[in-house]
Amino acid sequence: MIVEFGHFALVLAVLVAVYQMIVPAVGAWRGDGRLMQSGDAAALTQVMLLAIAFAALTQAYVVSDFSVANVVANSHSTKPLIYRISGVWGNHEGSMLLWVLILAIFGAAVAVFGSNLPATLRANVLSVQASIAVAFGLFILFTSNPFERLSPAPFDGRGLNPILQDPALAFHPPFLYAGYVGFSMAFSFAIAALMEGRIDAAWARWVRPWTLAAWMCLTLGIAMGSWWAYYELGWGGWWFWDPVENASFMPWLAGTALLHSALVMEKREALKVWTILLAILTFSLSLLGTFLVRSGVLTSVHAFAVDPARGVVILGIMVLFVGGSLLLFGLRAADLKQGGLFAPISREGSLVLNNILLTVSCATVLVGTLYPLALESVTGEKISVGAPFFNLTFVPLMIPLLVALPFGPFLAWKRGDLYGAAQRLTFAAVAALVVAIATVAVYQRGPWLAPPAMGLGVFVMAGAILELAYRGKVGQVSWDEAWRRLTNLPRSVYGTTIAHFGVGLMVLGITATSAYRHETVVALKPGETVAVSGYVLEYKGARSSKGPNYVEETGELAVTRDGAPVTVLYPSKRLYDAPPQPTTEAGIHNSWRGDLYVALGDAQDAGGFAMRIYFNPLVRFIWIGALIMFIGGGISLSDRRLRVGAPVRARRREQGAAA
């Protein structure tokens, strides 16, 4: 009964979304305030109904209701509770329901927190947002119904893919979807602005918080996925340039460019065309990612569906929204005034350079991802585009971007002084040089570009710190005055600085683990040892054990360094019951130097095992840097100037004080 109730709630949610799509837009066209306000109630009703539907599906998973086809296909009675819950979105149907729920949450947030938006703009935003919900809601109901019943019901389910039975996978998809779907808000604001013909600094200020929130979620989602792949798949790497990985990375690149472009538009009312286009393209890339994951055109651990029919429907939805939005953009672009002029050497100029490099980088990833698919569809020939292509195209574009990154905050708006900015970054340049020389002295091997890249990471980090010192006039005024200046800086300044610092930290981690990684493949019998990067690993043997829904073979390796005990690693191989599939659980020791990483291979004679042993220097800087970027985004989002509705509340307080 609960399942049917959830299905009914989903149907009602789609009907409410149809109302929200039509009525507020009609109200904005007629200037009818009541019709426009009804969109707020519709948005709240829609999210409530979708929450009920999602809760009903979750309940079916928790109680193992095997009369539901989706539960049978993706769960099992022996599966731990956390994986029964995460199994709700660990499949195509359930993940699409979560996708639409998050979409509705963002729409409801506009209704709740968008009181400072012009009534017509808010109504049109909710209308566009609802149109997306209608399209995907109908897609779920007619092609991907998660509430479909089976009769007779089987005794047990087939289980969740074992590699998805991991705590990180309980949180990675929701954050990733929140990022994907969150960019729909920038899209809705862009389409609403084009419909009204009003695009100004106020619009940029309204769209920035929504874009920033989506960017934060996508940043954390990608980082969590990378971390999961690192410790779960047993290959010791953090990024494979998998097509589905790329599908999440492309909207992140475009979203980063959109954030910077909106900043220029807010401050100088420039780059209007570019900002609107980036808002459309960012969400378009999110739709592309949805298509790639669910169409069956890709074979990937990340792929949810292999049904081409569903892929055709998603492709149709993508063509409808992307094509329609670009058509509207083409009709309205000629009416958009570019706004303020600026010199090439200026804060605006640095952000333009940033956006050019990010956009071109996104284009290279897009070409590398889609070219094999296009070639196969035309000629039938199958090729793979991997790391060599992306390293030769993407990386060279990142180098000038990182070099320019610290300069931007030191340049004035409209016209800047490049020489003066370089002088203020002298300390950062010296620190970068010292680190580059130290890298050569320590490693004495590796690609010749690695030491400069390590220095570049430090340059970005030091530049971020120097920006704060410059704003606080540290060393130019008294410490009390400098402290007063620093404490009075907007939170968005601190957020930007912290995010840029995280970028530099990621560069250090990526460079170190890519250039100076040590890999050893060896077969060890009990009592044998192997030396790796200053560590000595002694294989003690293996033991068998049984988990809740798997059997496990666990090896034991005692690790010493300079004769002193360091740790004991327990890498293992698991064989799950439902479905029967092996997985690898790596044994990892982390230190300030990097990760010692051991993955078991095939069993050998006399109790031995083949093993892959890696030492990845500074690899955790990658995820720590991403986390710092997320925190920086959160601090920026907490800035009162970016909080939606703040101006209205401020006016209300002032009115109350006057009374």
Side-chain angles (χ1 to χ4, degrees):
M1 185 65 182
I2 294 178
V3 171
E4 281 71 26
F5 189 66
H7 191 190
F8 183 63
L10 177 59
V11 173
L12 288 180
V14 174
L15 293 176
V16 171
V18 171
Y19 175 93
Q20 183 185 332
M21 177 181 67
I22 298 172
V23 176
V26 172
W29 178 59
R30 291 182 176 178
D32 190 327
R34 290 180 302 174
L35 294 181
M36 287 189 287
Q37 290 177 0
S38 69
D40 297 346
L44 295 173
T45 303
Q46 184 192 159
V47 76
M48 179 187 68
L49 291 169
L50 286 170
I52 292 172
F54 190 80
L57 183 61
T58 303
Q59 190 268 349
Y61 270 85
V62 170
V63 302
S64 296
D65 184 355
F66 295 121
S67 68
V68 180
N70 188 256
V71 179
V72 173
N74 302 285
S75 191
H76 193 272
S77 58
T78 62
K79 196 165 61 172
L81 178 61
I82 184 175
Y83 302 132
R84 273 182 275 163
I85 295 174
S86 64
V88 177
W89 54 80
N91 61 89
H92 169 71
E93 292 83 1
S95 66
M96 283 307 306
L97 184 58
L98 178 61
W99 202 98
V100 176
L101 174 60
I102 295 173
L103 184 75
I105 290 173
F106 274 96
V110 171
V112 174
F113 301 110
S115 57
N116 70 322
L117 298 174
T120 55
L121 178 64
R122 186 170 73 248
N124 285 324
V125 167
L126 291 175
S127 177
V128 176
Q129 194 77 357
S131 69
I132 304 171
V134 169
F136 282 98
L138 292 174
F139 170 75
I140 294 173
L141 287 175
F142 290 103
T143 70
S144 309
N145 184 9
F147 300 105
E148 182 180 348
R149 289 283 196 179
L150 288 178
S151 182
F155 178 75
D156 215 330
R158 293 194 291 270
L160 181 67
N161 189 335
I163 64 173
L164 302 181
Q165 298 183 39
D166 184 88
L169 267 295
F171 303 100
H172 159 62
F175 276 102
L176 204 64
Y177 299 159
Y180 269 150
V181 179
F183 285 127
S184 67
M185 291 307 307
F187 175 83
S188 296
F189 269 92
I191 300 304
L194 289 172
M195 290 167 61
E196 292 187 14
R198 178 192 172 186
I199 303 172
D200 52 18
W203 178 89
R205 187 161 53 252
W206 292 324
V207 80
R208 276 184 66 204
W210 304 105
T211 305
L212 182 57
W215 179 88
M216 288 170 56
C217 292
L218 191 56
T219 299
L220 193 61
I222 293 173
M224 292 175 70
S226 172
W227 167 239
W228 165 79
Y230 175 71
Y231 72 79
E232 177 65 25
L233 300 184
W235 64 299
W238 58 276
W239 192 261
F240 193 66
W241 293 108
D242 179 280
V244 180
E245 289 177 342
N246 297 346
S248 66
F249 190 42
M250 287 186 289
W252 186 89
L253 291 169
T256 305
L258 173 59
L259 276 175
H260 293 86
S261 187
L263 177 62
V264 177
M265 186 174 169
E266 179 186 347
K267 297 292 186 182
R268 298 279 300 143
E269 290 206 29
L271 307 185
K272 291 182 181 180
V273 172
W274 203 348
T275 304
I276 293 293
L277 186 59
L278 281 173
I280 294 173
L281 292 180
T282 301
F283 183 60
S284 300
L285 290 169
S286 295
L287 291 178
L288 176 64
T290 303
F291 167 73
L292 291 175
V293 172
R294 303 171 193 279
S295 63
V297 299
L298 296 176
T299 301
S300 169
V301 68
H302 305 84
F304 277 127
V306 293
D307 185 358
R310 290 173 175 173
V312 171
V313 177
I314 297 176
L315 183 61
I317 294 173
M318 186 173 69
V319 170
L320 174 65
F321 283 98
V322 177
S325 60
L326 291 177
L327 176 61
L328 180 60
F329 173 79
L331 294 173
R332 292 284 193 175
D335 300 329
L336 300 178
K337 297 180 180 179
Q338 284 299 318
L341 299 176
F342 53 87
I345 305 299
S346 61
R347 181 79 62 86
E348 298 96 324
S350 69
L351 293 171
V352 168
L353 176 63
N354 169 88
N355 283 6
I356 291 174
L357 293 172
L358 284 173
T359 304
V360 175
S361 299
C362 183
T364 64
V365 178
L366 180 66
V367 170
T369 303
L370 297 185
Y371 177 73
L373 302 177
L375 184 66
E376 183 180 356
S377 65
V378 175
T379 66
E381 182 182 355
K382 291 187 177 183
I383 65 168
S384 62
V385 176
F389 169 82
F390 293 104
N391 291 339
L392 290 173
T393 56
F394 181 83
V395 174
L397 293 169
M398 289 294 101
I399 294 174
L401 175 64
L402 294 170
V403 171
L405 184 62
F407 282 87
F410 291 96
L411 297 174
W413 293 103
K414 198 172 182 180
R415 184 178 297 275
D417 181 6
L418 184 61
Y419 180 72
Q423 285 183 311
R424 298 184 184 101
L425 289 169
T426 300
F427 175 79
V430 172
L433 181 61
V434 170
V435 168
I437 295 173
T439 301
V440 173
V442 170
Y443 290 103
Q444 299 180 359
R445 64 179 179 86
W448 66 270
L449 280 176
M454 295 288 287
L456 184 57
V458 172
F459 180 68
V460 173
M461 296 164 63
I465 296 172
L466 288 174
E467 180 192 352
L468 284 182
Y470 172 70
R471 289 179 176 271
K473 294 187 179 298
V474 177
Q476 303 177 41
V477 298
S478 66
W479 284 107
D480 290 341
E481 175 64 16
W483 178 252
R484 186 191 67 79
R485 287 175 175 270
L486 289 172
T487 53
N488 287 332
L489 288 175
R491 291 180 186 175
S492 59
V493 173
Y494 283 100
T496 301
T497 298
I498 291 171
H500 288 175
F501 188 91
V503 171
L505 200 63
M506 284 189 68
V507 172
L508 285 179
I510 292 170
T511 303
T513 195
S514 300
Y516 303 115
R517 180 187 193 191
H518 185 84
E519 178 180 353
T520 299
V521 180
V522 63
L524 295 178
K525 297 178 180 179
E528 294 182 338
T529 63
V530 61
V532 179
S533 296
Y535 294 101
V536 176
L537 292 81
E538 182 183 0
Y539 177 51
K540 298 291 189 179
R543 65 178 186 272
S544 299
S545 60
K546 184 170 177 56
N549 59 338
Y550 59 84
V551 292
E552 186 173 34
E553 194 80 11
T554 304
E556 180 181 350
L557 293 101
V559 182
T560 60
R561 183 175 174 84
D562 297 329
V566 175
T567 188
V568 179
L569 297 179
Y570 298 98
S572 67
K573 293 178 69 71
R574 292 178 179 177
L575 179 63
Y576 281 81
D577 302 327
Q581 182 175 325
T583 66
T584 299
E585 305 293 324
I588 306 175
H589 169 67
N590 175 248
S591 69
W592 65 270
R593 297 173 59 237
D595 280 9
L596 182 64
Y597 184 109
V598 181
L600 289 184
D602 296 329
Q604 307 291 312
D605 296 334
F609 266 95
M611 301 182 190
R612 296 186 304 278
I613 305 174
Y614 307 93
F615 183 75
N616 298 320
L618 308 184
V619 67
R620 305 236 168 174
F621 281 13
I622 298 172
W623 303 295
I624 295 173
L627 181 60
I628 290 174
M629 291 166 65
F630 174 82
I631 293 172
I635 293 173
S636 290
L637 194 61
S638 70
D639 192 322
R640 194 178 168 282
R641 300 180 303 169
L642 289 182
R643 292 205 306 268
V644 178
V648 170
R649 289 194 294 268
R651 284 198 298 270
R652 287 173 179 171
R653 284 197 298 270
E654 292 171 0
Q655 292 169 1

